PDB file of all heavy atoms in Angstrom:
ATOM      1  N   LEU A   2       0.793   2.089  -1.009  1.00  0.00           N
ATOM      2  CA  LEU A   2       1.355   3.343  -0.939  1.00  0.00           C
ATOM      3  C   LEU A   2       0.727   4.237  -0.010  1.00  0.00           C
ATOM      4  O   LEU A   2      -0.380   4.486   0.155  1.00  0.00           O
ATOM      5  CB  LEU A   2       1.425   3.991  -2.451  1.00  0.00           C
ATOM      6  CG  LEU A   2       2.177   3.213  -3.479  1.00  0.00           C
ATOM      7  CD1 LEU A   2       1.809   3.816  -4.793  1.00  0.00           C
ATOM      8  CD2 LEU A   2       3.592   3.399  -3.192  1.00  0.00           C
ATOM      9  N   THR A   3       1.483   4.835   0.892  1.00  0.00           N
ATOM     10  CA  THR A   3       0.983   5.459   2.126  1.00  0.00           C
ATOM     11  C   THR A   3       1.282   6.872   2.163  1.00  0.00           C
ATOM     12  O   THR A   3       2.172   7.423   1.526  1.00  0.00           O
ATOM     13  CB  THR A   3       1.463   4.903   3.266  1.00  0.00           C
ATOM     14  OG1 THR A   3       3.055   4.964   3.416  1.00  0.00           O
ATOM     15  CG2 THR A   3       1.214   3.390   3.403  1.00  0.00           C
ATOM     16  N   THR A   4       0.535   7.616   3.088  1.00  0.00           N
ATOM     17  CA  THR A   4       0.771   9.012   3.364  1.00  0.00           C
ATOM     18  C   THR A   4       1.872   9.071   4.288  1.00  0.00           C
ATOM     19  O   THR A   4       2.141   8.238   5.018  1.00  0.00           O
ATOM     20  CB  THR A   4      -0.540   9.614   4.225  1.00  0.00           C
ATOM     21  OG1 THR A   4      -1.624   9.347   3.424  1.00  0.00           O
ATOM     22  CG2 THR A   4      -0.230  11.025   4.494  1.00  0.00           C
ATOM     23  N   VAL A   5       2.687  10.120   3.935  1.00  0.00           N
ATOM     24  CA  VAL A   5       4.036  10.259   4.587  1.00  0.00           C
ATOM     25  C   VAL A   5       3.888  10.626   6.110  1.00  0.00           C
ATOM     26  O   VAL A   5       3.097  11.471   6.409  1.00  0.00           O
ATOM     27  CB  VAL A   5       4.965  11.245   4.010  1.00  0.00           C
ATOM     28  CG1 VAL A   5       6.115  11.551   4.795  1.00  0.00           C
ATOM     29  CG2 VAL A   5       5.272  10.865   2.600  1.00  0.00           C
ATOM     30  N   VAL A   6       4.558   9.989   7.041  1.00  0.00           N
ATOM     31  CA  VAL A   6       4.585  10.277   8.324  1.00  0.00           C
ATOM     32  C   VAL A   6       6.162  10.474   8.743  1.00  0.00           C
ATOM     33  O   VAL A   6       6.883  10.062   7.886  1.00  0.00           O
ATOM     34  CB  VAL A   6       3.902   9.279   9.211  1.00  0.00           C
ATOM     35  CG1 VAL A   6       2.495   9.188   8.988  1.00  0.00           C
ATOM     36  CG2 VAL A   6       4.489   7.869   9.086  1.00  0.00           C
ATOM     37  N   ASN A   7       6.424  11.088   9.787  1.00  0.00           N
ATOM     38  CA  ASN A   7       7.844  11.081  10.290  1.00  0.00           C
ATOM     39  C   ASN A   7       8.195   9.750  10.810  1.00  0.00           C
ATOM     40  O   ASN A   7       8.070   9.517  12.030  1.00  0.00           O
ATOM     41  CB  ASN A   7       7.886  12.236  11.325  1.00  0.00           C
ATOM     42  CG  ASN A   7       9.381  12.592  11.457  1.00  0.00           C
ATOM     43  OD1 ASN A   7      10.204  11.840  11.239  1.00  0.00           O
ATOM     44  ND2 ASN A   7       9.721  13.819  11.896  1.00  0.00           N
ATOM     45  N   ALA A   8       8.841   9.099   9.940  1.00  0.00           N
ATOM     46  CA  ALA A   8       9.177   7.712  10.364  1.00  0.00           C
ATOM     47  C   ALA A   8      10.354   7.717  11.465  1.00  0.00           C
ATOM     48  O   ALA A   8      10.492   6.741  12.218  1.00  0.00           O
ATOM     49  CB  ALA A   8       9.665   6.928   9.130  1.00  0.00           C
ATOM     50  N   GLN A   9      11.216   8.560  11.353  1.00  0.00           N
ATOM     51  CA  GLN A   9      12.193   8.819  12.330  1.00  0.00           C
ATOM     52  C   GLN A   9      11.670   8.910  13.759  1.00  0.00           C
ATOM     53  O   GLN A   9      12.333   8.525  14.684  1.00  0.00           O
ATOM     54  CB  GLN A   9      13.239   9.957  12.047  1.00  0.00           C
ATOM     55  CG  GLN A   9      14.079   9.719  10.902  1.00  0.00           C
ATOM     56  CD  GLN A   9      15.153  10.710  10.701  1.00  0.00           C
ATOM     57  OE1 GLN A   9      14.808  11.945  10.721  1.00  0.00           O
ATOM     58  NE2 GLN A   9      16.365  10.391  10.545  1.00  0.00           N
ATOM     59  N   GLN A  10      10.561   9.640  13.871  1.00  0.00           N
ATOM     60  CA  GLN A  10      10.006   9.840  15.323  1.00  0.00           C
ATOM     61  C   GLN A  10       9.136   8.679  15.750  1.00  0.00           C
ATOM     62  O   GLN A  10       8.821   8.565  16.773  1.00  0.00           O
ATOM     63  CB  GLN A  10       9.203  11.173  15.269  1.00  0.00           C
ATOM     64  CG  GLN A  10      10.190  12.393  15.174  1.00  0.00           C
ATOM     65  CD  GLN A  10       9.419  13.583  15.087  1.00  0.00           C
ATOM     66  OE1 GLN A  10       8.141  13.788  15.352  1.00  0.00           O
ATOM     67  NE2 GLN A  10      10.045  14.793  14.927  1.00  0.00           N
ATOM     68  N   MET A  11       8.675   7.857  14.708  1.00  0.00           N
ATOM     69  CA  MET A  11       7.794   6.725  15.086  1.00  0.00           C
ATOM     70  C   MET A  11       8.621   5.626  15.477  1.00  0.00           C
ATOM     71  O   MET A  11       9.376   4.965  14.907  1.00  0.00           O
ATOM     72  CB  MET A  11       7.027   6.281  13.849  1.00  0.00           C
ATOM     73  CG  MET A  11       6.090   5.178  14.147  1.00  0.00           C
ATOM     74  SD  MET A  11       5.358   4.455  12.517  1.00  0.00           S
ATOM     75  CE  MET A  11       4.410   5.866  12.012  1.00  0.00           C
ATOM     76  N   ALA A  12       8.525   5.276  16.823  1.00  0.00           N
ATOM     77  CA  ALA A  12       9.282   4.162  17.542  1.00  0.00           C
ATOM     78  C   ALA A  12       8.776   2.782  16.830  1.00  0.00           C
ATOM     79  O   ALA A  12       7.635   2.626  16.424  1.00  0.00           O
ATOM     80  CB  ALA A  12       9.107   4.102  18.914  1.00  0.00           C
ATOM     81  N   ALA A  13       9.732   1.750  16.769  1.00  0.00           N
ATOM     82  CA  ALA A  13       9.211   0.527  16.300  1.00  0.00           C
ATOM     83  C   ALA A  13       8.266  -0.051  17.261  1.00  0.00           C
ATOM     84  O   ALA A  13       8.358   0.062  18.538  1.00  0.00           O
ATOM     85  CB  ALA A  13      10.524  -0.334  16.252  1.00  0.00           C
ATOM     86  N   PRO A  14       7.168  -0.581  16.650  1.00  0.00           N
ATOM     87  CA  PRO A  14       6.138  -1.276  17.663  1.00  0.00           C
ATOM     88  C   PRO A  14       6.841  -2.483  18.196  1.00  0.00           C
ATOM     89  O   PRO A  14       7.857  -3.018  17.794  1.00  0.00           O
ATOM     90  CB  PRO A  14       5.034  -1.705  16.587  1.00  0.00           C
ATOM     91  CG  PRO A  14       5.725  -1.711  15.260  1.00  0.00           C
ATOM     92  CD  PRO A  14       6.790  -0.580  15.324  1.00  0.00           C
ATOM     93  N   GLU A  15       6.264  -2.927  19.318  1.00  0.00           N
ATOM     94  CA  GLU A  15       6.853  -4.020  19.962  1.00  0.00           C
ATOM     95  C   GLU A  15       6.441  -5.349  19.304  1.00  0.00           C
ATOM     96  O   GLU A  15       7.073  -6.368  19.581  1.00  0.00           O
ATOM     97  CB  GLU A  15       6.317  -4.044  21.517  1.00  0.00           C
ATOM     98  CG  GLU A  15       6.845  -2.915  22.365  1.00  0.00           C
ATOM     99  CD  GLU A  15       6.771  -3.214  23.882  1.00  0.00           C
ATOM    100  OE1 GLU A  15       6.875  -4.335  24.252  1.00  0.00           O
ATOM    101  OE2 GLU A  15       6.529  -2.134  24.490  1.00  0.00           O
TER     102      GLU A  15
END
Side-chain angles (χ1 to χ4, degrees):
L2 291 169
T3 60
T4 302
V5 171
V6 295
N7 192 332
Q9 285 188 313
Q10 294 179 3
M11 182 190 291
E15 296 198 33

